[in-house]
Amino acid sequence: MGKEKVFEFLKKNTMVIVLIIVLGFFSWQTDGAILLPMNVSNLISQNAYVFILATGMLLCILTGGNIDLSVGSVVCFVGAVGALLMVNFGVPTWAAIAIMVLIGTAIGAFQGFWIAFVRIPPFIVTLAGMLAFRGLSNVVLNGLTVSIKDETTFVNLFGGGADCYIPDYFSDGKLNLTCLFGGILAVVILVGLNVYSRIKKTKSGYDVEPIWAFGFKIILIAAALLAFSYKLAQHKGIPTVLIWVLVVVIIYAYITSNTTTGRYFYAVGGNEKATKLSGIDTNKVYFLAYMNMGFLAALAGMVTIARLTSAQPTYGQNYEMDAIGSCFIGGASAYGGIGTVPGVIVGAVLMGVINLGMSLMGVDANMQKVVKGVVLLAAVIFDVVSKRGGKMIVKN
């Protein structure tokens, strides 16, 4: 086992190691409270919007380190329109959902047009969107709160009600066996897919990670999934919102790693000129990234108003920062072309653990922002320095 391979393994899994260390630290500081089943469940429910938005933000970042500053405002605006339609105008739930999805996607397409085809910098376009849709949210809601009373359909569907959990069909009265079986099934599927992928790469002549690294990764993933499902089984089982998160993560992980379209995002971020010369329409890649971001912002908007059972003009504030931070902490490059969906999820979980841990410790809200800022800066510094072979270059 060479030192270089060990170093490469540690470099690739730095944030996973950091997550384990941070979780251990907060477990020690809170006397294990952060690992209580209820808090593990709350970690998912409270950060579902981060998982969804960060997945979409990854595609924007892959195109060259570009970001979308408007997602928090779009979340608020879409949620405001949807709440008004259902509560004040009596629009059926499914029709309101369709309208919210269309609005979010249309906003993404609108911003994507200016970015992709007119080539206005994404920072400017999305900054304008952040201001405009925050203002429109206030206009639509007239500065008031709209409470959502339709708890049997919309709220429960998007994981906002008190009983928004997958029913347990095999309950023994102590543990949610459906949740446990789901965790075991997830482990079997993930292990099978990883083994199949390794065999396929080996046969095709591609380089694969050392067997010890592969085995360690599989054991770690399996242990984490089983521990996670066991904790959820001790509470109420699988939250409904977790299903939405899993659907988004699985679909986009497949798109980015197994489809031609997914590889285009990496190609544009790696070298846009070469990508264009190879016959790929880079304008469409930018457009698709931002239109998709609008679509996922709409989904995050529905999850947000369902969890809070209301719509307010202040919802969605700093959501864009949580999403961007999760991407960079999870290994996405500030220059584009590098990053994975699983890495982003690790980053989002790390952010969620830090938030929850500091809240349980009673840390001041302002200090929480300081800590998150430091963590984000450290992640970007690590990304930049690692690309220079570990050398810190200071220019005069």
Side-chain angles (χ1 to χ4, degrees):
M1 187 190 302
K3 289 183 179 180
E4 291 183 0
K5 290 185 177 180
V6 174
F7 177 76
E8 186 66 26
F9 174 77
L10 293 175
K11 181 180 171 182
K12 286 179 63 177
N13 297 278
T14 300
M15 285 306 149
V16 175
I17 296 169
V18 171
L19 174 59
I20 295 171
I21 293 171
V22 169
L23 190 59
F25 171 77
F26 283 120
S27 179
W28 169 52
Q29 288 292 317
T30 62
D31 294 324
I34 196 172
L35 296 176
L36 290 175
M38 182 176 67
N39 285 330
V40 173
S41 183
N42 287 339
L43 180 67
I44 298 300
S45 300
Q46 293 172 6
N47 293 280
Y49 75 89
V50 183
F51 298 125
I52 294 170
L53 291 177
T55 303
M57 191 68 71
L58 174 65
L59 299 187
C60 298
I61 291 173
L62 286 177
T63 60
N66 301 306
I67 56 176
D68 188 340
L69 293 174
S70 70
V71 291
S73 298
V74 174
V75 164
C76 184
F77 178 68
V78 169
V81 172
L84 280 179
L85 289 174
M86 290 185 286
V87 177
N88 291 8
F89 296 96
V91 174
T93 299
W94 294 105
I97 291 172
I99 292 171
M100 282 188 276
V101 170
L102 286 173
I103 290 174
T105 307
I107 290 172
F110 174 76
Q111 295 188 142
F113 169 79
W114 298 109
I115 293 168
F117 299 107
V118 185
R119 287 298 172 137
I120 298 176
F123 182 88
I124 301 300
V125 174
T126 58
L127 178 61
M130 179 178 74
L131 299 173
F133 292 110
R134 179 64 61 185
L136 285 173
S137 299
N138 274 279
V139 171
V140 168
L141 293 173
N142 199 25
L144 303 175
T145 299
V146 176
S147 298
I148 302 173
K149 302 174 183 178
D150 182 18
E151 294 194 12
T152 58
T153 50
F154 180 84
V155 173
N156 286 339
L157 178 63
F158 290 98
D163 298 316
C164 295
Y165 294 85
I166 303 300
D168 185 9
Y169 302 101
F170 312 101
S171 178
D172 64 352
K174 296 179 181 179
L175 290 174
N176 189 300
L177 296 181
T178 299
C179 182
L180 279 179
F181 292 153
I184 294 170
L185 180 62
V187 169
V188 172
I189 292 174
L190 276 174
V191 171
L193 288 174
N194 275 276
V195 171
Y196 173 75
S197 177
R198 182 181 176 84
I199 293 173
K200 189 176 179 181
K201 287 180 180 178
T202 303
K203 288 183 177 179
S204 300
Y206 292 109
D207 290 332
V208 295
E209 58 192 338
I211 189 65
W212 65 267
F214 177 76
F216 180 78
K217 182 180 74 173
I218 292 297
I219 292 171
L220 189 63
I221 292 174
L225 280 175
L226 290 175
F228 176 65
S229 61
Y230 179 72
K231 287 293 182 179
L232 291 181
Q234 288 180 301
H235 186 49
K236 295 181 180 179
I238 304 172
T240 308
V241 72
L242 180 58
I243 302 300
W244 288 105
V245 171
L246 287 175
V247 168
V248 170
V249 169
I250 291 170
I251 289 175
Y252 284 87
Y254 178 81
I255 289 174
T256 53
S257 61
N258 293 284
T259 67
T260 304
T261 302
R263 305 316 298 176
Y264 287 168
F265 293 102
Y266 291 94
V268 170
N271 190 325
E272 184 181 353
K273 290 184 178 179
T275 303
K276 199 166 188 176
L277 289 172
S278 67
I280 297 171
D281 190 338
T282 56
N283 290 346
K284 288 184 179 179
V285 175
Y286 283 109
F287 179 78
L288 183 59
Y290 283 90
M291 184 176 70
N292 173 75
M293 189 71 257
F295 166 73
L296 290 179
L299 178 57
M302 290 184 273
V303 167
T304 298
I305 63 172
R307 183 174 69 86
L308 301 171
T309 63
S310 64
Q312 287 185 15
T314 57
Y315 287 174
Q317 288 184 342
N318 295 323
Y319 278 20
E320 60 277 354
M321 300 307 170
D322 290 334
I324 294 167
S326 297
C327 288
F328 288 133
I329 291 171
S333 173
Y335 302 108
I338 297 173
T340 63
V341 172
V344 166
I345 298 307
V346 171
V349 172
L350 179 57
M351 293 280 281
V353 168
I354 291 173
N355 287 335
L356 180 60
M358 289 192 294
S359 296
L360 291 173
M361 289 174 62
V363 177
D364 180 71
N366 292 316
M367 283 306 299
Q368 292 185 28
K369 294 177 182 178
V370 172
V371 171
K372 289 198 291 185
V374 171
V375 171
L376 174 57
L377 179 60
V380 176
I381 290 173
F382 176 80
D383 170 54
V384 173
V385 173
S386 64
K387 285 179 174 58
R388 294 173 179 168
K391 296 179 181 179
M392 179 75 76
I393 300 174
V394 180
K395 295 184 178 180
N396 295 323

